[in-house]
Amino acid sequence: MKSKLVIGNWKMNLSFEEADDLTIAIQEALAEINLQTEVVICPPFPFLELVTDLAEESNFNAGAQNCSQFENGAYTGEVSAKMLADLGVDFCIVGHSERRRYFNESNEVIAQKINRLMDQQLIPVVCCGETLEERNAGKHFEVVEKQLKETLFHLKKEDFEHAVIAYEPVWAIGTGVNATPAQAVEMHKFIRSLVEKKYGTEIAYNTYILYGGSCTPQNAIELFSSEDVDGGLIGGASIKSGDFVSIIEAAETAVNDN
Ligand code: 13P
């Protein structure tokens, strides 16, 4: 059984001091665990260095929440993949539904961001997921397939194998209503079948497919023990050290029990 991957997405939360305290609390708690799970913390840009500095001596990695689709130049307010790489960041979330919704990010732009990340050997955490209307209309598979094909499936095998996919149904994000394990399994299996068709069985097996959307210490074990769920992308619960560490412990338990 492969180990799990748990990623904390802090979104636009916390003060510098709170971010510092949280990173230290997570570091201290994880130092007590002989971790098999890979842990990534994705703070807002101004706090990234706090996390990269501590990550060097800890059992977690640093990730960003976004990057520019451009390489460098006159793009006021943007942060390039190269800047992230220079800082010691290893992962970057792309295509989050909040960026699609509030910043009009299209599949085409997300594909460009993934290319920039690949140029820097950073690991993209590529989000996909349907809205409630799309699910109610029975279009969830179609929506996720289009998102993945248009953002990710242009990659060559040797690049694709470094990518992580996160299934985050929009209706589950920040709502307290998580997908049921059955709903997650059904979609994760579908996603893995798409990867298999395009890139073959071995890459499909090795690809990490995370679940995100109202993950809590209470539901994490059942979700992470479900077939084809390789871990989680955690929002709200990732900015409470106790909850985040409990979710990581759930990932450890899910692997050891299987
Ligand atoms: P919540 O865990 O707060 O639902 O957020 C999930 C998410 O969007 C992670 O990227």
Side-chain angles (χ1 to χ4, degrees), residues 181-235:
Q183 287 171 322
V185 168
E186 185 185 40
M187 184 58 84
H188 284 224
K189 274 192 183 308
F190 174 69
I191 293 171
R192 208 176 297 283
S193 76
L194 294 176
V195 175
E196 184 169 14
K197 249 183 255 160
K198 172 85 186 166
Y199 294 104
T201 311
E202 195 185 338
I203 290 187
Y205 173 80
N206 289 332
T207 299
Y208 274 79
I209 306 177
L210 310 183
Y211 168 75
S214 297
C215 269
T216 62
Q218 290 71 38
N219 61 29
I221 289 196
E222 205 188 345
L223 283 164
F224 296 169
S225 303
S226 303
E227 215 183 329
D228 282 303
V229 178
D230 300 315
L233 180 53
I234 320 299

Side-chain angles (χ1 to χ4, degrees), residues 80-243:
S80 72
K82 169 110 179 26
M83 292 168 187
L84 298 175
D86 287 348
L87 206 57
V89 167
D90 294 309
F91 290 75
C92 182
I93 298 168
V94 272
H96 195 284
S97 64
E98 288 151 14
R99 296 216 53 89
R100 291 175 185 268
R101 178 168 173 204
Y102 302 120
F103 304 97
N104 298 320
E105 261 184 32
S106 63
N107 289 338
E108 192 186 350
V109 165
I110 296 162
Q112 289 164 2
K113 293 185 177 199
I114 293 171
N115 291 343
R116 296 294 78 74
L117 292 168
M118 287 293 165
D119 293 343
Q120 299 299 324
Q121 277 106 45
L122 295 185
I123 298 174
V125 179
V126 183
C127 301
C128 59
E130 80 286 356
T131 62
L132 190 59
E133 294 69 43
E134 289 163 342
R135 177 165 280 265
N136 288 340
K139 290 188 173 157
H140 40 303
F141 294 116
E142 193 186 311
V143 166
V144 167
E145 180 169 0
K146 184 170 159 63
Q147 287 172 338
L148 290 175
K149 285 195 166 158
E150 293 184 3
T151 57
L152 194 56
F153 281 11
H154 63 285
L155 292 180
K156 291 185 289 214
K157 235 181 186 178
E158 54 271 32
D159 285 334
F160 179 87
E161 61 189 359
H162 300 296
V164 169
I165 296 171
Y167 170 55
E168 296 205 308
V170 179
W171 48 270
I173 297 177
T175 58
V177 181
N178 58 286
T180 63
Q183 287 171 322
V185 168
E186 185 185 40
M187 184 58 84
H188 284 224
K189 274 192 183 308
F190 174 69
I191 293 171
R192 208 176 297 283
S193 76
L194 294 176
V195 175
E196 184 169 14
K197 249 183 255 160
K198 172 85 186 166
Y199 294 104
T201 311
E202 195 185 338
I203 290 187
Y205 173 80
N206 289 332
T207 299
Y208 274 79
I209 306 177
L210 310 183
Y211 168 75
S214 297
C215 269
T216 62
Q218 290 71 38
N219 61 29
I221 289 196
E222 205 188 345
L223 283 164
F224 296 169
S225 303
S226 303
E227 215 183 329
D228 282 303
V229 178
D230 300 315
L233 180 53
I234 320 299
S238 74
I239 53 174
K240 295 180 201 131
S241 61
D243 283 2

